[in-house]
Amino acid sequence: MKNFWENTYVQSAGNYSVVVLSMIVFLAIFELVTKYRNWDEIQKGNVAVALATGGKIFGLANIFRYSISHHTSLLSMLAWGLYGFILLLLSYFIFEFLTPKFRIDDEIANDNRAVGLISMVISIGMSFVIGEGIG
């Protein structure tokens, strides 16, 4: 049975399953900390929300990419992915703090695409920094 768990296909399926479930949970947490409802706004055609959400999805996937490539056990991969998510969430709050002239959530909810684009780039950019740090 030990050989079964060491099989590359089984490990890939395990990593995939854990990452998909983690991303669902982490996106739900992101939804809780924003003033707008991501999927409702995207359904309405709010491009700024789509950009910001897409950046979060890419950022989370990128963090898990690093976590998978640097950690052999499923548990350590998940733990480092969680740590990376916390840092990405912290980046979101720092971005909000560093823009005292306007509220990021309000601008994105109002479909300010420039703010949505910057939010996306911050999520993606920070995911590379976080990912390399957890490696």
Side-chain angles (χ1 to χ4, degrees):
M1 190 62 144
K2 184 177 179 182
N3 289 337
F4 176 79
W5 296 111
E6 293 174 358
N7 183 295
T8 304
Y9 297 111
V10 173
Q11 288 177 343
S12 294
N15 288 339
Y16 174 81
S17 300
V18 168
V19 169
V20 168
L21 290 172
S22 297
M23 289 190 59
I24 291 168
V25 170
F26 296 160
L27 286 171
I29 292 170
F30 270 124
E31 181 123 0
L32 290 173
V33 300
T34 57
K35 292 181 180 178
Y36 50 85
R37 305 284 57 98
N38 293 323
W39 304 111
D40 292 341
E41 289 296 321
I42 290 170
Q43 186 178 22
K44 288 189 238 176
N46 187 325
V47 176
V49 172
L51 289 168
T53 303
K56 291 170 188 167
I57 292 169
F58 185 98
L60 289 169
N62 193 39
I63 287 169
F64 273 107
R65 180 194 79 76
Y66 280 98
S67 183
I68 289 169
S69 69
H70 293 5
H71 302 283
T72 55
S73 80
L74 198 59
L75 188 58
S76 67
M77 179 272 292
L78 179 59
W80 282 104
L82 174 63
Y83 180 66
F85 163 72
I86 291 168
L87 292 177
L88 192 63
L89 187 62
L90 182 63
S91 299
Y92 170 80
F93 289 124
I94 290 170
F95 178 41
E96 183 76 62
F97 176 75
L98 292 176
T99 54
K101 291 189 175 193
F102 58 88
R103 306 271 311 147
I104 300 299
D105 276 356
D106 293 340
E107 295 298 318
I108 291 174
N110 291 328
D111 201 14
N112 183 333
R113 294 171 188 184
V115 176
L117 179 65
I118 292 297
S119 178
M120 179 184 77
V121 171
I122 286 172
S123 293
I124 292 171
M126 290 309 296
S127 76
F128 281 99
V129 174
I130 293 165
E132 193 59 38
I134 65 175

